[in-house]
Amino acid sequence: MPVRRTNWLPGIFNDFFGNEWVERQRVSSPAVNIVENDKEYKVEVAAPGLTKDDFHIDIHDDDVLTVSVEKKSDTQEENRANKYLRREFSYSSFRQSMILPDDVDKDNIKARMEDGILYIDLPKIVKAEKTTAKRIEID
């Protein structure tokens, strides 16, 4: 014979908050890769589910590049049979700052989103090629 609960309210709360009805979100920072070659540095930020509008990329006066994300979502579902309204809020943010190397051409930095990855291209300053030795004539 099943045991009958006399105090049902805590049981409902425990069932509600203790199962998959409420999806728990784990907050983590996206993976960031930095690659260097002869011509540039490349920053890659894993950004599945994000759009370019969710990102802000800033260069500060002290040569610090900051990549930040702010994503808010508001989902509403209405079940007309039960007259039940469910509302979920979601907010996530991320901020990563990097000191730029001295050889970055700050005027030509470019960024793009592709397949869930934010790419930031940091071109290096083109140095003048070394000239061969020459003699300077005196006037």
Side-chain angles (χ1 to χ4, degrees), residues 3-129:
V3 177
R4 183 175 181 169
R5 290 184 180 169
T6 56
N7 187 359
W8 59 270
L9 190 58
I12 289 175
F13 276 34
N14 289 337
D15 288 344
F16 181 77
F17 291 110
N19 67 21
E20 57 277 345
W21 288 4
V22 177
E23 183 178 322
R24 300 194 190 276
Q25 294 199 355
R26 301 200 185 276
V27 177
S28 64
S29 299
V32 176
N33 296 330
I34 301 174
V35 180
E36 179 185 10
N37 63 37
D38 293 339
K39 296 181 180 182
E40 65 186 346
Y41 300 93
K42 292 184 179 216
V43 177
E44 304 166 342
V45 180
L50 298 174
T51 66
K52 68 178 187 175
D53 296 330
D54 297 325
F55 282 93
H56 297 284
I57 304 170
D58 299 299
I59 300 174
H60 303 281
D61 291 337
D62 54 356
D63 291 342
V64 173
L65 176 79
T66 301
V67 178
S68 59
V69 173
E70 185 173 11
K71 176 112 177 139
K72 298 176 188 177
S73 68
D74 181 8
T75 304
Q76 293 184 25
E77 287 186 17
E78 185 177 343
N79 183 336
R80 296 190 188 274
N82 294 323
K83 306 281 185 201
Y84 179 77
L85 181 66
R86 182 179 83 193
R87 187 176 179 110
E88 296 177 356
F89 295 99
S90 173
Y91 176 82
S92 59
S93 65
F94 162 78
R95 176 184 228 87
Q96 177 73 46
S97 295
M98 298 162 259
I99 298 173
L100 293 175
D102 292 335
D103 61 346
V104 169
D105 182 358
K106 295 171 200 73
D107 294 328
N108 290 307
I109 295 174
K110 294 188 178 5
R112 69 185 188 289
M113 286 287 298
E114 187 177 310
D115 298 327
I117 299 175
L118 172 67
Y119 294 96
I120 305 171
D121 299 326
L122 306 164
K124 291 182 178 180
I125 296 171
V126 179
K127 295 179 182 177
E129 291 185 26

